[in-house]
Amino acid sequence: MVSGLYDDASEADRRNDSTKADRRDALTSGRLPVAVYGLGKMGLPLAAVFADTGMRVLGVDVDPDVVDCVANGDCHVEEPGLAPLVAELVETGRLDATTDGPAAAAEAAVHVIIVPTLVRDGGEPDLSTVEAVVADISTGLAPGDLVVLESTVPPRTARDVVTPTLEAETGLDRGEFGVAVCPERTASGRALRDIRGSYPKVVGGIDAESTRAALLLYADVTSNRVTPVADATTAEAVKVFEGIYRDVNIALANELATTCDDLGISVREAIETANQLPVCDIHDPGPGVGGHCIPNYPHFLMDRVETETPLTATARAVNERMPIVTVDRLEHELERTGGELRDASVAVLGLTYRAGVPELRNAPALDVIAELDRRGASVVAVDPFVDPESVDIPGLPIDDLPETSLDAVVLTTPHTAFDRIDWETIDPLVLVDARDALSLENTHHRVVTLGVGTPPDESTTAQDRSILGQVDAQ
């Protein structure tokens, strides 16, 4: 009889095809229940995909409203295809939810942790939520159980925090239970597709049997390959390195963008053309880097190693300063028109950190607004996905823009809803496009695009750029 996915048996038994088949059948038939700790925007889609493969899944969350919602077959996460899937899985009994972590731990044989890891002021990673979940799991952990970290955590968390805590709290020895890392590689708006196979899964355990058990768990979840790595720390580092790469690359693009006036060119055009070479892949500049992931992951590395990481630290500093650079550009252009930023009326278009996603965490627009406030501007915000009033910012509906007296507009997040704005009905002194998202041709507006230089004595309007484009085309 299969007692769990983890089994410190002989190498010959691990390779036995019938044993593997028995374990897979026990998992997909529901005889080995799975507990998913964290039912947020990544956790609920993961729990649903597990259940959709035939597993019996118990979702755990500290928020009773979230648990009641899921247990009733409703969906609190805005994600394409998720609501009907949750409703079906709850109705068939394959998915349920509870706030009782210890009870879920006592019932489950597989424990998957997918809760956020935040960063405290000063850059120290905050593992308190992960540690609270591990404490709950320890109350019900049994020999043969497998614990999987999908949360993005600092490297060595599984080895130095999760495993020792489980050993100390349960009295079980390493080798009686498994601990593995399978970092989530999922984006909001495409979570189900990503979990089911957009990218390879990465798994690494604290020992070879933990890795094998994790491979078995995810084999039926993804249509893509499952890539085993040397150990749990390597798997943790894979996800952190992915985020740092993007942060450094964006910082390079942002630094290049700040040279546009000195060079008198469109840095964006230069980047786009340079990227025609396969060895070059410079990202797009912008007003900053937001979301839960990229702004935090550099700290996961810098806080855990004694080796100096000046490139990682500098990239983070460059990206954190971009909201100030954006406001500097606006203030400079207002002064060139004879205006000033203090007491200016400014509309900020887009609050969320990414277009089409109702998420405000670390959103650059919030820092842009804070800097505008600090310099004495009067700010209103426009966003079709979130209510600005929820973060104490005066809001403005898109359709009210023509009736609002504005000195400037700053586009920070290019929601598609902004495409329907009739700019000829709006008359700000300056329009700052921090994302190069506006297609304004033959317009009277003074348009300033982040990363596009202007001559020292005049502004390059959208009409000027259109004429230049026509000449190039000829």
Side-chain angles (χ1 to χ4, degrees), residues 137-363:
I137 293 172
S138 69
T139 64
L141 192 72
D145 281 6
L146 174 68
V147 178
V148 180
L149 265 173
E150 281 226 8
S151 300
T152 305
V153 292
R156 296 199 303 263
T157 296
R159 188 193 76 181
D160 295 346
V161 178
V162 176
T163 304
T165 299
L166 292 173
E167 288 179 306
E169 296 297 323
T170 65
L172 297 174
D173 293 328
R174 194 171 313 201
E176 294 184 85
F177 61 90
V179 175
V181 174
C182 178
E184 59 91 1
R185 288 171 146 182
T186 311
S188 295
R190 48 177 295 162
L192 294 179
R193 179 173 50 175
D194 287 350
I195 294 168
R196 287 169 169 158
S198 294
Y199 315 106
K201 294 286 186 184
V202 176
V203 297
I206 59 167
D207 53 31
E209 183 61 10
S210 294
T211 302
R212 182 209 60 78
L215 281 167
L216 182 62
L217 173 66
Y218 287 97
D220 292 328
V221 171
T222 178
S223 59
N224 211 314
R225 67 184 182 274
V226 183
T227 304
V229 293
D231 51 31
T233 302
T234 303
E236 291 163 335
V238 166
K239 180 62 182 291
V240 171
F241 288 3
E242 289 169 357
I244 292 175
Y245 162 76
R246 293 177 65 193
D247 201 38
V248 171
N249 197 319
I250 295 169
L252 171 62
N254 283 335
E255 184 168 278
L256 295 176
T258 63
T259 70
C260 64
D261 279 340
D262 287 343
L263 297 176
I265 68 169
S266 168
V267 171
R268 290 178 178 273
E269 180 186 12
I271 289 173
E272 181 180 356
T273 308
N275 284 346
Q276 293 174 2
L277 210 61
V279 296
C280 192
D281 183 25
I282 306 173
H283 291 0
D284 295 326
V289 179
H292 166 69
C293 303
I294 299 177
N296 289 337
Y297 294 172
H299 297 289
F300 289 4
L301 178 67
M302 293 186 291
D303 187 76
R304 289 299 191 263
V305 298
E306 295 183 3
T307 304
E308 291 187 2
T309 53
L311 178 60
T312 301
T314 299
R316 188 85 295 272
V318 168
N319 288 333
E320 287 177 348
R321 191 176 181 278
M322 286 310 294
I324 295 176
V325 171
T326 302
V327 177
D328 283 345
R329 192 72 187 273
L330 170 60
E331 185 168 38
H332 175 65
E333 292 301 323
L334 280 173
E335 289 173 352
R336 291 175 67 177
T337 64
E340 60 179 24
L341 186 55
R342 178 168 296 279
D343 297 326
S345 176
V346 182
V348 173
L349 303 189
L351 286 182
T352 65
Y353 84 91
R354 183 159 65 87
V357 174
E359 173 63 62
L360 293 172
R361 187 171 294 169
N362 295 317

Side-chain angles (χ1 to χ4, degrees), residues 67-83:
V67 167
D68 289 344
C69 180
V70 175
N72 289 328
D74 297 323
C75 182
H76 66 286
V77 176
E78 295 183 23
E79 191 67 46
L82 184 59

